[in-house]
Amino acid sequence: MASHIVGYPRMGPKRELKFALESFWDKKSSAEDLQKVAADLRSAIWKQMADAGIKYIPSNTFSYYDQVLDATSMLGAVPPRYGWNGGEIRFDTYFSMARGNASVPAMEMTKWFDTNYHFIVPELGPDVNFSYASHKAVDEYKEAKSLGVDTVPVLVGPVSYLLLSKPAKGVEKTFSLLSLLPKILPIYKEVILELKAAGASWIQFDEPTLVLDLDSHQLQAFTAAYADLESALSGLNVLIETYFADLTTEAYKTLVGLKGVTAYGLDLVRGTQTIDLVKAGFPEGKYLFAGVVDGRNIWANDIASSLSTLQQLEDIVGKDKLVVSTSCSLLHTAVDLVNETKLDDEIKSWLAFAAQKVVEVNALAKALAGQKDEAFFAANAAAQASRKSSPRVTNEAVQKAAAALKGSDHRRATNVSARLDAQQKKLNLPVLPTTTIGSFPQTLELRRVRREFKANKISEDNYIKAIKEEIKKVVDLQEELDIDVLVHGEPERNDMVEYFGEQLSGFAFTVNGWVQSYGSRCVKPPIIYGDVSRPKPMTVFWSSTAQSMTQRPMKGMLTGPVTILNWSFVRNDQPRFETCYQIALAIKDEVEDLEKAGINVIQIDEAALREGLPLRKSEHAFYLKWAVHSFRITNCGVQDTTQIHTHMCYSNFNDIIHSIIDMDADVITIENSRSDEKLLSVFREGVKYGAGIGPGVYDIHSPRIPSTEEIADRINKMLAVLETNILWVNPDCGLKTRKYAEVKPALNNMVAAAKLLRTQLASAK
């Protein structure tokens, strides 16, 4: 019985690629140094899978930034502003598209389906001259082969690539991206022919958009694309991989009807109903790559249950046509449990990271082939039983409090316009008030202090002294820049979710459980294993300390319950909304303690609310109801004069704008600049927004420093569709990943732009 892995984490067990990338970007190392680190990581991944007995090992799932950007490079679809003149795309062009450079901004970045991974959105139009400009897929196949590993090259499928793209600036929004299919398929054919010539026997096309709500025209594009590719694919085994949700009946029919296709990869973890489609009919002689091992969470697989599922499928598709696989790429989980030295043995026994999931896949394949590892199955069963019966998982008081939430919608008693009036009397802010989103640069010295405190190398007194000095530096800088509503810079926090999880019950933490978010940016999601509560205040000391350093309003900075949920590895033994309500009650306690401590502006970030939106429209309403309700629970008890902010970033918000309004925050700051200000189109189309709003005026994920004039131009575009008295001026997101040499001039220009517009508005009266 065969086994398959959809994809594997790229960063390395100790984030080796992250550090190599940042060293290269900082011009501290060469391209050759970066390529050497990458090659060593790829070699280790291929060897690990081969040693584990995996038959179908993927290649070309490694990326220096993002697999969609890799596809853009392969197709030569470089926007003209990057000055590329043809030939093989090199690092300078590649990273300029990803990160921008001194003269031009980066391409838009948005969330990959409903994950916390981000991809670079292709910018396409009728005039793009596609050409075969990156041979990475073929090079990596040959590289693996030279190491004695025959791999399955993986390409982003042509239809998904186009459906995930957007019309370039200046191209009509109604332009049909699918009309470009005849232009990109010739390049795909070139790649396929080179792979065949190199000796490839299998090829995998990732077509995850098949799980979305697609119309007949979009589904027909899949049929047309693979019919066109059929002759080029002749002689190859072709796997079409889907993941993240169920397929509709129509999408399933389209998938199994594609010409030239040998195998179908299905997510049977999140696609719980897809198995019914397989039972109702599966094409004879085709392979089913059954994704029964979860690629998006860290819980050990219930392998007895998975084996039962596989045995049912075996009866349908045939013993020699069933392949055990992961539900999606393991990119979305941590790398290796072996590196976790601080997790206690009980919790550790409940978990499986990417390396362990590879072992699970192979154990299931061997069991199906009659070579069941009885000891492995027994240990897995014991771990499953331990998790179900452990007293540390359940807290009856928390469950009772969460159950009592039903029956109320937890809205503040006064409407937002009255609250804003009351807040203005107290805060006395100018028109177009300026603020930042929360974090300030995390310097090497600051990271050293936190690291040494965690390792007990410095005393708590010395740690507090160092953090207070950092806060004072950030407060003084903001006052010097004349920012209106200040933040303390979050020097005590390595990560906005990890920080809170460490102080909440029901959470566990890893040492090296890093997951790539985008580029070199990695996050270390907490593990929610049990019921959640707040034993004591979490941020009150630091926020009060910061407020004592200034007469200006100081924001209390919290992460919202939906974001904590969506950016954690969440327990899978109860519905997600129940866990979210528990977190909301814990954050509510913190909000009310901040208010009692004299903090008049409290930001509750919900950066990931949109990210958790189910992929199918039929499931949107239920998710948005409990997600928005969870946010309102956190602040329903504060006074009218306490101003509640929230922040959202890097997603398409236009389709949930009414739910955002229903959150009933006093002020929302929201990503806008990197997405060509498409957020503003909602307001141009007539949506009325009465609360405060701060669409980001510059992109913090790029080192580029915008001019005062550029920022003023952005603010003017906002003023064309938003009332002056509700508009705030702020960056897109927090500043922790930037350097002070970038932050100071950018914020200085932002404040100067706000002042310029205030003067113009005053003279126009």
Side-chain angles (χ1 to χ4, degrees), residues 584-644:
L585 287 170
I587 300 299
K588 181 176 187 287
D589 291 343
E590 187 72 11
V591 167
E592 290 170 5
D593 280 348
L594 281 168
E595 185 182 57
K596 286 174 193 166
I599 304 300
N600 297 316
V601 182
I602 302 170
Q603 182 169 308
I604 308 166
D605 285 346
E606 283 296 13
L609 187 140
R610 173 63 175 77
E611 171 186 311
L613 191 69
L615 300 178
R616 307 297 283 282
K617 287 178 183 171
S618 60
E619 300 169 19
H620 286 189
F622 178 67
Y623 167 78
L624 289 168
K625 183 179 179 183
W626 63 254
V628 169
H629 186 192
S630 296
F631 176 82
R632 289 201 307 262
I633 288 167
T634 65
N635 61 85
C636 62
V638 300
Q639 299 173 35
D640 287 356
T641 50
T642 298
Q643 189 167 85
I644 299 296

Side-chain angles (χ1 to χ4, degrees), residues 341-621:
T341 54
K342 295 190 177 178
L343 280 172
D344 67 69
D345 288 343
E346 182 182 36
I347 289 180
K348 204 169 179 179
S349 74
W350 302 343
L351 307 178
F353 291 0
Q356 288 68 48
K357 290 177 187 292
V358 169
V359 173
E360 288 177 340
V361 166
N362 203 53
L364 284 164
K366 287 173 74 175
L368 274 176
Q371 302 165 37
K372 187 176 179 184
D373 184 336
E374 296 291 353
F376 185 83
F377 271 71
N380 179 269
Q384 298 294 325
S386 158
R387 187 174 163 216
K388 284 175 185 170
S389 61
S390 176
R392 68 200 295 186
V393 170
T394 307
N395 182 325
E396 284 187 22
V398 171
Q399 296 216 341
K400 197 175 287 184
L405 293 170
K406 290 164 186 169
S408 169
D409 63 1
H410 297 89
R411 292 182 185 276
R412 292 170 76 177
T414 312
N415 69 44
V416 68
S417 60
R419 298 198 309 263
L420 288 173
D421 287 344
Q423 292 155 15
Q424 179 58 16
K425 285 174 186 169
K426 187 163 192 172
L427 299 173
N428 193 30
L429 298 172
V431 67
L432 304 179
T434 54
T435 190
T436 64
I437 303 305
S439 60
F440 265 65
Q442 302 258 319
T443 62
L444 290 173
E445 173 63 17
L446 181 56
R447 292 177 192 276
R448 181 193 64 77
V449 167
R450 281 202 309 262
R451 190 168 56 248
E452 291 187 354
F453 178 59
K454 279 199 166 186
N456 296 316
K457 291 182 179 177
I458 60 172
S459 68
E460 185 174 13
D461 286 346
N462 284 340
Y463 170 73
I464 289 172
K465 180 172 179 284
I467 297 298
K468 281 184 174 179
E469 287 172 357
E470 184 69 21
I471 292 173
K472 184 73 167 74
K473 183 175 83 174
V474 169
V475 170
D476 288 349
L477 173 61
Q478 290 171 94
E479 290 197 325
E480 177 191 326
L481 291 167
D482 205 16
I483 292 172
D484 300 305
V485 175
L486 310 190
V487 298
H488 76 291
E490 304 175 12
E492 78 283 15
R493 308 177 194 182
N494 178 60
D495 177 86
M496 63 188 281
V497 173
E498 182 182 3
Y499 176 79
F500 290 97
E502 284 177 336
Q503 302 182 75
L504 295 168
S505 64
F507 282 74
F509 289 86
T510 64
V511 176
N512 286 298
W514 297 100
V515 179
Q516 185 183 17
S517 179
Y518 63 87
S520 68
R521 169 85 170 129
C522 298
V523 293
K524 198 164 46 153
I527 298 164
I528 305 177
Y529 67 83
D531 291 334
V532 178
S533 62
R534 185 197 73 145
K536 61 182 182 180
M538 302 179 285
T539 65
V540 175
F541 172 76
W542 296 118
S543 293
S544 301
T545 298
Q547 184 63 80
S548 71
M549 297 175 180
T550 181
Q551 296 299 307
R552 301 184 186 212
M554 174 66 62
K555 283 197 276 192
M557 299 300 305
L558 305 175
T559 304
V562 186
T563 296
I564 290 176
L565 183 88
N566 285 337
W567 286 358
S568 298
F569 290 124
V570 183
R571 58 191 293 190
N572 58 0
D573 59 346
Q574 71 176 16
R576 287 172 71 87
F577 70 85
E578 290 185 12
T579 303
C580 198
Y581 283 155
Q582 293 177 1
I583 303 169
L585 287 170
I587 300 299
K588 181 176 187 287
D589 291 343
E590 187 72 11
V591 167
E592 290 170 5
D593 280 348
L594 281 168
E595 185 182 57
K596 286 174 193 166
I599 304 300
N600 297 316
V601 182
I602 302 170
Q603 182 169 308
I604 308 166
D605 285 346
E606 283 296 13
L609 187 140
R610 173 63 175 77
E611 171 186 311
L613 191 69
L615 300 178
R616 307 297 283 282
K617 287 178 183 171
S618 60
E619 300 169 19
H620 286 189

